[in-house]
Amino acid sequence: MHLKRILVLPLLLIAALAHADPLRLQALHEFRSEGFEAGTYLLIDNNLYERVREPGNREIYNTSLRRMDALLRQMNNPGDLRPLYNDLVALIRELENMPEDQAHYSLATVNRIMMAHGKLENAAAELYNTEAADAPEDLLALHRQSIETHRILLLYQNNMFSSVGVYFLPSKEGIFDELDARIHAGSGELKRLLPEHEATFEQLDKQYSFIQPRLINHHADWVPTIAAFYLSKNTQTLDELSREKANLAEANAGTP
């Protein structure tokens, strides 16, 4: 009997370790979310359609970069994320240090920055996927909706640069429609999983619907700042909700 107990304890420990750590998963998600936010506002800041460079755009993407740095420290620099993050920041600083007239037309550097972001996002997504096993369904759904919203927004910004590639997801015909369909499906899933937040999700739907025609008909009329304003509000709300869920899941996991 004593031997059985000795054998069972390590197995229970292994089983416990196999479960997702909701707070770490949340940190990985928020790292990705901030990466998309940084990419979005960097593209807006360097968008040739914007005649005046607004200082606020640079402040937003630098705030996201600082948050990413803090999240990496919090997670003890998992995988290859730190060197990939450092590469991204170095390229952004290179662009920022260019003379104003040169920087505004340095699309080759912008392309390298977005390539670095793509490498970082893909590495972070891979880490996230390996750690998402057994995570609460509602937490994963909130993360998924946030990332899909970020993707369609960054893709929209990306499309204003004919010489800047798309590196954060496979680009293909009909990708806007595909992302749009996933966002609509994700909203329905969230209302099913979290009916107590239905009013919040209805508000997110309303904000998304307002900008959605511009996203789908992205060559007709560029509204980069307006699109970012509404969709960033959505991702912020989704990330706040997922943070609450992660904290709750962590608290419940520690309850005997």
Side-chain angles (χ1 to χ4, degrees):
M1 188 69 173
H2 182 65
L3 180 60
K4 282 184 180 178
R5 193 174 299 166
I6 291 172
L7 292 172
V8 165
L9 284 173
L11 292 174
L12 289 173
L13 180 60
I14 291 169
L17 290 172
H19 285 279
D21 177 344
L23 293 183
R24 181 177 171 83
L25 197 65
Q26 180 66 23
L28 274 170
H29 166 71
E30 291 193 33
F31 179 82
R32 296 176 66 196
S33 185
E34 294 292 352
F36 276 107
E37 187 84 348
T40 291
Y41 278 92
L42 182 127
L43 289 183
I44 292 174
D45 193 49
N46 291 278
N47 179 3
L48 299 182
Y49 288 88
E50 299 288 322
R51 296 183 180 180
V52 178
R53 189 188 290 271
E54 293 290 341
N57 297 327
R58 189 167 289 191
E59 290 171 14
I60 291 171
Y61 75 65
N62 275 312
T63 296
S64 285
L65 291 174
R66 286 193 294 272
R67 288 174 178 162
M68 292 170 77
D69 177 66
L71 287 162
L72 282 177
R73 294 176 191 278
Q74 177 186 322
M75 296 184 288
N76 294 319
N77 298 309
D80 296 327
L81 297 190
R82 172 58 70 178
L84 291 172
Y85 167 82
N86 289 344
D87 290 345
L88 174 65
V89 173
L91 286 167
I92 291 173
R93 299 298 174 242
E94 179 183 322
L95 181 66
E96 288 177 342
N97 290 330
M98 289 180 180
E100 186 68 22
D101 56 340
Q102 182 184 349
H104 204 56
Y105 294 95
S106 185
L107 297 185
T109 305
V110 173
N111 186 62
R112 288 162 61 212
I113 289 170
M114 297 316 296
M115 189 181 296
H117 167 261
K119 289 179 181 177
L120 180 58
E121 158 57 15
N122 291 333
E126 188 175 340
L127 261 180
Y128 177 92
N129 291 335
T130 61
E131 300 199 16
D134 298 323
E137 189 180 4
D138 52 4
L139 181 64
L140 294 177
L142 287 163
H143 289 171
R144 195 158 46 243
Q145 189 74 343
S146 171
I147 294 298
E148 298 293 20
T149 305
H150 273 303
R151 282 172 173 160
I152 202 168
L153 174 58
L154 186 54
L155 188 64
Y156 177 77
Q157 307 294 347
N158 227 128
N159 267 256
M160 287 183 283
F161 295 81
S162 59
S163 58
V164 175
V166 176
Y167 303 104
F168 59 92
L169 85 174
S171 186
K172 57 185 177 181
E173 190 72 27
I175 186 63
F176 274 99
D177 290 325
E178 185 178 315
L179 288 170
D180 178 59
R182 295 208 297 247
I183 288 168
H184 282 294
S187 176
E189 182 183 25
L190 288 173
K191 289 170 188 171
R192 176 181 63 81
L193 292 170
L194 299 164
E196 68 274 21
H197 292 294
E198 184 169 358
T200 299
F201 298 137
E202 290 287 354
Q203 181 61 31
L204 298 187
D205 287 348
K206 188 181 297 184
Q207 289 169 185
Y208 178 74
S209 296
F210 175 76
I211 207 68
Q212 186 258 10
R214 307 290 183 91
L215 301 174
I216 300 302
N217 302 307
H218 49 276
H219 293 300
D221 185 20
W222 297 115
V223 286
T225 305
I226 295 172
F229 174 77
Y230 282 101
L231 296 189
S232 290
K233 283 175 67 174
N234 280 18
T235 56
Q236 286 164 16
T237 299
L238 290 163
D239 290 352
E240 286 167 8
L241 286 173
S242 65
R243 200 174 302 126
E244 291 174 11
K245 288 294 173 185
N247 286 326
L248 183 61
E250 179 72 12
N252 290 340
T255 303

